[in-house]
Amino acid sequence: MERRRAILDTAEVLLVEQGYEAATLKAIGERAGIPVASVYHYFSDRHQVDAELLQGHMNEVDALVGAELEASGPQTLSDTADAVINPLLGYFRRHPGCVELWFKGRGEPLVELVRAFDEAQAERLRHLLVERGLVPADVPPLVLELAFEIGNRLFDVAFRRSPDGDDATIDEARRVVTAYLETYASDARRRG
């Protein structure tokens, strides 16, 4: 367990210091002082290391978003967008290794993890929005999945523009996602 943790910790450090391309299994083994053959004993390839690291980050992000949605009790679509965007942005700013995996690790395993995460978050958000009367009960799941896809793409742009996530791009993400969801807002909310 200690060696496995050392490999993951070292991979995270390399992601932060040198970026996604530099965090190879060879580099991880050398930096951790573990023979590369031993690294392969714990992880058959780099994708396994990346996936385990990203899954750990996603578990933390899921808990943060869930806690924010519970704590803030958003009453508008704009509040709801903020309740998702703020914890994501804060987490990405504190964990640049996660940004490397989420946006630069474009291998199929990581793309699938991000897609599954977004789908689960979209379903959670859809239930919350329907429960609060912000969107009608018949809003298609695709609508919330697309909102997450749009947000993801704009976060990618924000973190390419600045290592801390370009604030102007994040503000645009808030506007775009909110405006898109407002096209599906419940009639009662539109009138109110």
Side-chain angles (χ1 to χ4, degrees):
M1 290 299 280
E2 286 180 33
R3 271 196 164 186
R4 186 176 184 82
R5 186 74 252 158
I7 292 166
L8 293 170
D9 290 346
T10 302
E12 186 79 28
V13 168
L14 284 172
L15 285 166
V16 171
E17 289 179 359
Q18 299 177 26
Y20 184 78
E21 296 302 321
T24 64
L25 285 185
K26 182 177 187 254
I28 292 166
E30 288 172 358
R31 181 78 171 262
I34 300 171
V36 175
S38 293
V39 173
Y40 281 102
H41 172 74
Y42 297 98
F43 297 96
S44 64
D45 60 26
R46 183 208 175 138
H47 298 297
Q48 281 189 326
V49 174
D50 294 345
E52 192 163 323
L53 281 173
L54 185 56
Q55 188 61 60
H57 286 297
M58 287 178 164
N59 292 343
E60 290 182 45
V61 169
D62 178 59
L64 290 170
V65 170
E68 182 65 23
L69 287 169
E70 283 294 316
S72 68
Q75 299 301 310
T76 67
L77 290 170
S78 179
D79 291 344
T80 305
D82 288 345
V84 174
I85 290 172
N86 291 341
L88 274 168
L89 180 60
Y91 190 85
F92 286 159
R93 284 179 170 166
R94 291 187 309 276
H95 300 277
C98 180
V99 171
E100 290 292 316
L101 293 167
W102 200 293
F103 299 113
K104 296 179 184 164
R106 294 296 184 183
E108 193 59 30
L110 298 186
V111 169
E112 285 303 314
L113 278 174
V114 170
R115 184 176 298 126
F117 177 85
D118 284 351
E119 287 172 1
Q121 296 301 313
E123 187 60 25
R124 171 200 280 179
L125 197 56
R126 183 178 168 282
H127 286 293
L128 180 123
L129 294 175
V130 167
E131 179 183 289
R132 299 224 168 119
L134 296 172
V135 297
D138 63 351
V139 69
L142 177 64
V143 169
L144 278 298
E145 290 171 17
L146 290 175
F148 270 87
E149 187 69 30
I150 293 164
N152 231 342
R153 183 69 181 107
L154 290 170
F155 263 68
D156 184 10
V157 171
F159 280 91
R160 269 191 287 123
R161 293 182 72 151
S162 166
D164 290 327
D166 175 62
D167 286 328
T169 305
I170 297 298
D171 288 344
E172 290 304 306
R174 292 176 200 281
R175 290 183 56 218
V176 168
V177 169
T178 300
Y180 172 64
L181 291 176
E182 284 176 349
T183 66
Y184 290 90
S186 295
D187 289 336
R189 289 288 180 176
R190 277 192 218 131
R191 288 189 301 264

